[in-house]
Amino acid sequence: MLLLFINHRSVESSAVKKAVEQTYTTFLPKGGHPFIYLSLEIDPARVDVNVHPTKREVHFLNEDEIIDLVCNDIRQRLAKADTSRTFKTQMLLPGVVPMTPLNSRPPIEDQTPPSDGMQVYKTPASKKPYENHL
């Protein structure tokens, strides 16, 4: 979400929004979205508010240069704040055997019956289990 203010007025700029969100992609986890409050002071003569009838969408002179300055500043600030990344990992409990992927297990008919008395049921391959729910 981008809250953009130019000269203390809430506006929208698709070019600024796209560039800023693109800048954040390297710092956020995949699928993450930033929350940004951006307030810019720009000479009113350089701001074009006649892009949209409601005057919410704006363009401005030297838009690419301003966007580059803003994105570079964001990148520098995020790089300083993100000096080390921490990822949480889950460890296995002692005595727990890791599960093997399904494709590496032998077919169910080749397995010996479980010793705990439970029965193994095999569904026919021609009928899918979710067909009864249609």
Side-chain angles (χ1 to χ4, degrees):
M1 172 175 222
L2 172 67
L3 297 174
L4 176 62
F5 290 82
I6 295 181
N7 300 334
H8 307 290
R9 180 179 177 170
S10 175
V11 294
E12 294 177 8
S13 172
S14 55
V16 172
K17 181 178 180 178
K18 183 177 178 180
V20 169
E21 286 179 348
Q22 186 67 33
T23 302
Y24 269 88
T25 57
T26 56
F27 295 94
L28 293 176
K30 188 175 183 179
H33 299 284
F35 179 85
I36 305 157
Y37 175 89
L38 183 61
S39 181
L40 303 173
E41 296 286 329
I42 300 176
D43 180 14
R46 303 180 91 178
V47 179
D48 181 12
V49 295
N50 294 319
V51 177
H52 192 270
T54 63
K55 304 202 184 311
R56 293 266 308 149
E57 178 80 22
V58 297
H59 291 288
F60 35 92
L61 288 175
N62 303 30
E63 191 170 51
D64 292 336
E65 293 174 24
I66 294 171
I67 290 172
D68 284 343
L69 287 171
V70 168
C71 290
N72 286 337
D73 188 57
I74 290 172
R75 215 174 281 114
Q76 288 174 359
R77 289 173 187 259
L78 290 175
K80 287 178 188 175
D82 195 20
T83 56
S84 68
R85 293 184 180 222
T86 305
F87 298 95
K88 294 184 179 182
T89 58
Q90 183 176 355
M91 297 184 58
L92 292 175
L93 295 174
V96 175
V97 179
M99 295 178 61
T100 57
L102 289 175
N103 56 1
S104 68
R105 291 183 182 174
I108 200 161
E109 56 264 8
D110 293 345
Q111 292 179 350
T112 58
S115 61
D116 60 359
M118 295 180 63
Q119 289 207 331
V120 177
Y121 294 99
K122 183 178 174 186
T123 56
S126 62
K127 185 167 182 162
K128 299 192 174 33
Y130 54 82
E131 286 180 345
N132 293 334
H133 301 294
L134 297 176

